[in-house]
Each structure stands twice: as structure tokens, then as C-alpha cells.
Amino acid sequence: MIQDFSSFILHPSSLRLLVTGGSGYLGSAILKRAPRGWTLAATYLTQPLTAENVAAFRLDVRDAGQVDRVIAGWRPDVIVHTAAHQRGEQMRAVNADGSQHIASAAARENARLIHLSSDVIFDGEHAPYDESALPDPISPYAESKALAERAVVDAHPQPAIIRTSLIYGFAPLDPRTRQTLDGEMPRLFTDEYRCPILVDDLADALLELATSGYSGILNVAGPQRLSRYDFGVKLAHALGVEPRFAPALSAPTETSRPRDCTLDISRAQTLLRTRLRGVDQVLQSLISNL
Ligand SMILES: NC(=O)c1ccc[n+]([C@@H]2O[C@H](COP(=O)([O-])OP(=O)(O)OC[C@H]3O[C@@H](n4cnc5c(N)ncnc54)[C@H](OP(=O)(O)O)[C@@H]3O)[C@@H](O)[C@H]2O)c1
């Protein structure tokens, strides 16, 4: 596997940042929270970007030629690669091949690459997972994200690979929380554990990493391990909504799902100035600010 170079040496007031998937939930939070003075560009596929301070490129990461043209044409210092597909037949082409195209183009342009990976690359039977843990995916999405990590390592000399967990937030609500509160997810699992991270904290951590020389794998998730059901209950209570979901066990479902993907985030907590807050801490400050 790849090496760590944990030197936080660059603190530029100006930087050319390209965010792939800038129209997505995490991508748009990164763009909103990026420091003034940075020159921003972002890509979208189906949801055009409208922010005035961001150069927008329509890009399909499955098309290597298009990826090359955008990256060679705009010459970013750093690329944060968030674009991904979370379901459907195109997951491998978008997540694995697309990440390889981004990493190769970034390497050719000497751009730093921060690649977003996921806690679901593990089988969920050996938690907690630190940065030395090897992927052992048990679902097609997880397999595509594990292949993406390998493709990025093979194509780029010093990528930073960020393994994260459930991403949630309030302005706007993340899609999963919205569906949960709207009653579109009638069952939440009591036996699946994740380390949810507030999108603002994750975006700030990625922006901090963009100014660093870090390469290698880094777990960036929340410090509080919760079942999906307990997470849903906490969110519903904090937002004053009656829970419209029931507790359930994940075992009887058709798709293979990792049980416990708890990430050990001690390295990120040591390296980063950004505080990674647990769900209780975030919800407490949300309630105090109402
Ligand atoms: N959400 C989570 O809880 C979670 C947990 C762990 C890891 N992650 C990882 O974190 C990253 C960001 O997740 P997210 O929830 O912010 O994703 P998201 O909201 O679903 O956004 C996905 C983005 O990818 C773009 N995209 C999709 N197919 C594309 C293609 N073929 N070419 C170029 N762009 C394409 C979409 O563009 P359009 O919308 O314009 O079509 C959108 O901007 C992903 O890498 C994901 O695997 C997410």
C-alpha cells in the first residue's frame, strides 16, 4: 500500500481548487466553505452549477478525454474528487474507471489529489478499522469504491485517500436524513454501525488537507459510533419530528451490508486542526442555536 507523508507545510492564501461532483451534497459544501482568495472550479454532470465565484465544467468522469481536457485546461493545484455513483449499473465505470481517469490526469498536471472513499469498503466484521485495514467489500458499490482506491494509488504518485462514513447536515438537509424524516425509510437498522460526520466538518477537513502535503489513507469520520436506528432517532428528536420509522435487523435484507464499519479516526484527530464532532455534540449546538 501507499506511504504517509504527513507534512502540513503549505498554507497558501491563494490556491486553484477543482472539486469534482461540485453539484453533489459534499461537493457543494466544500465550495461554500472554501476560503476567499482561492480560485474555484467544479464539475457537474446533470445538475448545473450556478455559484458565481466557481468556474463550472460539465464533465462525465467515464470519458477519459473529457477529464484530460478539463484538468489540463484549468490546471488546478489540488483536486478534491467527490464525484461518484452510489447505485446502479454504472457504479464501476463511474467510481473505479472515473477515479482512474481523474488520478491519471491529476498526475500528468502535477496536481495534488484528494480522493473520497468510504467506510463500506470493509466487510463490517473486523471493526474498528484504522488506516492499515485492507478493503474487503461485500456489495457492488463497496467493490467499486475499493477498486477506485486501487486505481488512484496506481495512477497517482502521492494521492490522499479519505475514508469517510455517513455524511449528514442541515443546510440543506442531506438526502438520507430528509428521506428518513419524510417516512420514506420505514425501517432503520439497529445492528448496523457507522460514524456519521457533519458535512461542514468533513468539508473543512478536506479544505485543510488541500493546503497540506498529506498523502496516504486517512480516516475522516465522526468520533461517535451509532446504529442507523439510534442516529435516526437522535436526528428526529433534535429536529422536533416524530420518528416515522421502526427498528429492524439488517440480516433479512437481500443486499449484503457490512454490519459495523467503525473507523478509527485517531490519526485525523492528531493531524487536523479541524474538530471532528460526534452527533450528540453537533445536535446540542444545533438546538442551542435555534
Ligand atoms: N453520502 C455519504 O454518506 C457518503 C459516505 C461515504 C463516502 N461517500 C463518498 O463521498 C463522496 C461524495 O458523496 P455525496 O453524498 O456528496 O455524493 P452525491 O451527493 O450523490 O453527489 C455525487 C456527485 O457526483 C456527480 N456524478 C455522478 N456521476 C458522475 C459522472 N459519471 N461523471 C461526473 N460526475 C458524476 C454528480 O453530478 P450531478 O448531480 O450533476 O449529476 C454529483 O455532483 C462520494 O465519493 C461518495 O462515495 C459518501
Side-chain angles (χ1 to χ4, degrees), residues 4 38 50 72 83 123 158 219 240 242 254 258 260 275:
D4 286 322
W38 288 19
T50 50
D123 68 0
Q158 291 193 344
N219 292 340
E242 196 56 40
E254 288 157 19
D260 184 350
R275 278 185 320 144

Side-chain angles (χ1 to χ4, degrees), residues 21 23-26 45-47 59-61 82 141 145 165 167:
S23 49
Y25 191 67
L26 174 60
L45 184 64
T46 60
Q47 307 295 319
L59 176 68
D60 187 334
V61 296
T82 78
Y141 169 65
K145 292 296 282 185
S165 187
I167 302 170

Side-chain angles (χ1 to χ4, degrees), residues 81 115-121 141 145-146 148-149 161-165:
H81 177 43
H115 168 82
L116 263 295
S117 188
S118 172
D119 57 356
V120 299
I121 58 171
Y141 169 65
K145 292 296 282 185
E149 282 197 3
I161 293 179
I162 308 306
R163 291 175 176 166
T164 192
S165 187

Side-chain angles (χ1 to χ4, degrees), residues 96-281:
D97 302 346
S99 296
Q100 195 262 320
H101 300 154
I102 295 285
S104 300
R108 271 194 293 280
E109 294 303 319
N110 288 321
R112 273 181 35 70
L113 176 63
I114 300 177
H115 168 82
L116 263 295
S117 188
S118 172
D119 57 356
V120 299
I121 58 171
F122 301 117
D123 68 0
E125 298 302 320
H126 303 87
Y129 295 96
D130 68 14
E131 282 81 358
S132 66
L134 296 177
D136 192 3
I138 61 170
S139 75
Y141 169 65
E143 194 176 334
S144 72
K145 292 296 282 185
L147 285 169
E149 282 197 3
R150 171 49 59 198
V152 162
V153 170
D154 288 345
H156 194 283
Q158 291 193 344
I161 293 179
I162 308 306
R163 291 175 176 166
T164 192
S165 187
L166 295 181
I167 302 170
Y168 70 101
F170 305 103
L173 273 186
D174 63 283
R176 190 182 299 104
T177 299
R178 188 178 38 69
Q179 288 172 338
T180 305
L181 300 181
D182 287 350
E184 290 170 32
M185 292 173 131
R187 296 173 308 133
L188 289 187
F189 300 129
T190 52
D191 58 348
E192 271 189 28
Y193 297 92
R194 298 289 187 275
C195 299
I197 181 159
L198 185 69
V199 70
D200 305 25
D201 292 355
L202 178 56
D204 288 352
L206 294 167
L207 290 164
E208 184 180 344
L209 285 163
T211 67
S212 81
Y214 189 89
S215 71
I217 293 168
L218 189 65
N219 292 340
V220 181
Q224 190 175 2
R225 168 188 184 269
L226 286 172
S227 75
R228 286 179 179 266
Y229 177 75
D230 287 341
F231 182 38
V233 169
K234 283 177 187 289
L235 287 169
H237 286 167
L239 296 169
V241 176
E242 196 56 40
R244 293 168 68 186
F245 46 82
L249 291 175
S250 71
T253 61
E254 288 157 19
T255 330
S256 305
R257 304 173 62 103
R259 198 176 54 80
D260 184 350
C261 293
T262 302
L263 295 175
D264 174 348
I265 60 163
S266 48
R267 183 181 295 179
Q269 287 174 314
T270 305
L271 285 175
L272 297 174
R273 291 186 304 273
T274 302
R275 278 185 320 144
L276 304 173
R277 292 170 292 170
V279 169
D280 286 342
Q281 201 183 350

